Amino acid sequence: MKKIYQLFLQYPQICTDSRNIIPDSVFICLKGENFDGNQFALQALEKGAQYVITEDTSLSNHPHCIVVSNSLKTLQQLSLYHRQQLHIPIIGITGTNGKTTTKELLANILSKKYKVAFTKGNLNNHIGVPLTLLSIKPTDEMAIIEMGANHPGEIAQLCDLSLPNFGVITNIGKAHIEGFGSVENIITTKKALYRSVIHDKGTLFVNGEDPILTHHLDYDKVIFYGMNSNKGTTGSITKMSPCLTIKIFDQEIETHLTGNYNLLNIICSATIGNYFGVSQHDIIEAISHYIPSNNRSQIIQKEKKNIIADYYNANPTSMDAALHNLNQITYPRKIAILGDMLELGEVSNIEHAQIIQLCTKLAIPTYFIGNEFFKQHYSKENCFLDVDDFNAQLSQSNFDNALILIKGSRGIHLENLFLLK
């Protein structure tokens, strides 16, 4: 590994996609169910990569190819070796919902005082975390590592690579139940971040009002935050129209975020920034200037419509929160367009039925898209098998002068709704 690491120090750009080779990089040939990067080893060199790490033994004598038994494990071991050379705060973030927004808010805040490396996009899995770790430069003063999981034990594996000395779990809810098997498995998997930080004698940032996160948390290096807690930083919502206006540090801030569920993400980020010595003035400025993207709690204005674009992903917990938030916003006309929540396994029927019942209870006019909702709700007026079916039957005028929540799992492809074109 030392030999490969010396190579990495000489060429510190790692590529795993042969279509996007960075000049003077190292290309690592990864394999998946539908691709094999080893087939593009020589092509990567032709495009400007200096070295290739491959499993293809026929390239053993090539001067710019390093043959290994497992390219993925090599990538992970290389990232761990790099992590072990770092002596900076590494903040691990996980959670069922809100981890990406919290990560981006926190990066904005900490960047007011420090040079910060952080997870880009959704590089938060067994490949993305190593790539994020390897992107940390010698000049960086701290790093934020987002960790995602859809199977038991995954967060522990990512912690074994990133060795976080600070940690936060935004929340624990129902997501990827098909992969996890139960909510109990989700809790155990997510709390591996706490166990890792505690093992390292690091510091945890914890929502002191969340009974799941505080359950059996017997540890003295904890910084609490919340909405009404007597411990740590607190905050409150003063207005939703639909963006949040909040009060924190005794100051009122207008944000570009929608969703009352984002208040805790803001408070969490502010708490961590305050811990690391970022001034309250800079924290407030960073929060007020942050504009969400990637269809997470994002406000989009289209002609006569205001759209809450929150369809990057969906699960029962986030869907429930989004609907209650829509219900609380003062607006003359409100509509929800909901896509199926995927990867729920045996509880899918129950969870989709409960969302339909919630829409009825809140009296929110709702359109449902996807087979899971269709199995529960057979009205031709408001239930559609897919986005194409929805687009073919409805017109723009159906949604004029409305605030529209669009939420669903990525696999439903709500980005193709005509309302967003």
Side-chain angles (χ1 to χ4, degrees), residues 53 104 113 138 177 189 197 236 243 342 362 372 380 401:
I53 295 174
E104 293 183 354
K113 185 174 181 179
I177 295 177
T189 296
V197 173
S236 60
C243 287
L342 303 180
L362 298 177
E372 294 300 312
K380 292 183 178 180
N401 304 310

Side-chain angles (χ1 to χ4, degrees), residues 82 132 201 289 298 376:
H82 181 57
T132 299
K201 298 181 173 58
H289 288 174
Q298 185 177 354
Q376 301 291 328

Side-chain angles (χ1 to χ4, degrees), residues 1-15 24-26 28 51 53 66 75 78-79 81-83 85 130-138:
M1 184 51 60
K2 286 185 179 181
K3 177 183 175 182
I4 295 177
Y5 188 64
Q6 289 303 314
L7 195 66
F8 165 72
L9 292 179
Q10 188 176 357
Y11 303 105
Q13 295 278 5
I14 299 293
C15 294
D24 296 327
S25 62
V26 176
I28 300 181
Y51 282 87
I53 295 174
I66 299 172
L75 170 65
L78 178 63
S79 71
Y81 193 90
H82 181 57
R83 165 65 185 98
Q85 315 312 308
L131 291 174
T132 299
L133 290 168
L134 290 168
S135 74
I136 302 173
K137 299 177 177 62

Side-chain angles (χ1 to χ4, degrees), residues 110 113-114 142 271-280 282-283:
L110 292 176
K113 185 174 181 179
Y114 303 97
M142 59 175 57
T271 300
I272 300 173
N274 189 58
Y275 175 87
F276 282 106
V278 181
S279 71
Q280 291 185 2
D282 283 346
I283 291 173

Side-chain angles (χ1 to χ4, degrees), residues 138-337:
T139 53
D140 289 324
E141 298 172 294
M142 59 175 57
I144 306 167
I145 309 296
E146 179 184 334
M147 305 179 203
N150 54 23
H151 286 87
E154 284 188 296
I155 297 300
Q157 294 169 4
L158 298 178
C159 287
D160 287 344
L161 295 175
S162 54
L163 306 176
N165 40 31
F166 296 87
V168 59
I169 302 174
T170 54
N171 54 51
I172 298 177
K174 299 176 184 177
H176 306 297
I177 295 177
E178 186 174 36
F180 280 111
S182 68
V183 174
E184 290 73 22
N185 284 341
I186 297 174
I187 294 171
T188 300
T189 296
K190 299 291 186 183
K191 280 198 168 183
L193 176 57
Y194 281 0
R195 295 191 293 274
S196 177
V197 173
I198 291 170
H199 181 267
D200 195 59
K201 298 181 173 58
T203 299
L204 297 173
F205 301 94
V206 178
N207 175 4
E209 297 155 17
D210 188 320
I212 295 176
L213 297 179
T214 55
H215 185 62
H216 288 168
L217 183 60
D218 184 18
Y219 187 58
D220 57 350
K221 296 178 70 174
V222 177
I223 308 297
F224 289 102
Y225 63 90
M227 290 186 290
N228 305 299
S229 175
N230 294 323
K231 302 177 181 178
T233 305
T234 62
S236 60
I237 296 172
T238 59
K239 186 179 179 183
M240 292 195 300
S241 62
C243 287
L244 299 178
T245 300
I246 69 166
K247 189 172 184 180
I248 192 170
F249 300 138
D250 293 323
Q251 293 192 51
E252 199 167 68
I253 314 171
E254 293 182 0
T255 78
H256 296 279
L257 283 162
T258 188
N260 50 16
Y261 44 85
N262 271 315
L263 175 61
L264 279 170
N265 299 331
I266 295 171
I267 297 171
C268 173
S269 304
T271 300
I272 300 173
N274 189 58
Y275 175 87
F276 282 106
V278 181
S279 71
Q280 291 185 2
H281 173 272
D282 283 346
I283 291 173
I284 289 169
E285 185 174 69
I287 293 169
S288 63
H289 288 174
Y290 170 69
I291 299 176
S293 59
N294 299 323
N295 307 311
R296 291 182 173 94
S297 303
Q298 185 177 354
I299 301 296
I300 299 174
Q301 292 184 327
K302 290 279 187 179
E303 298 175 350
K304 299 179 181 180
K305 308 164 192 67
N306 273 337
I307 296 171
I308 301 175
D310 195 13
Y311 52 88
Y312 182 82
N313 218 334
N315 56 63
T317 305
S318 65
M319 191 78 85
D320 183 281
L323 287 166
H324 276 101
N325 176 72
L326 180 65
N327 185 57
Q328 291 178 26
I329 296 173
T330 302
Y331 208 91
R333 184 180 182 221
K334 294 179 284 190
I335 296 171
I337 301 174

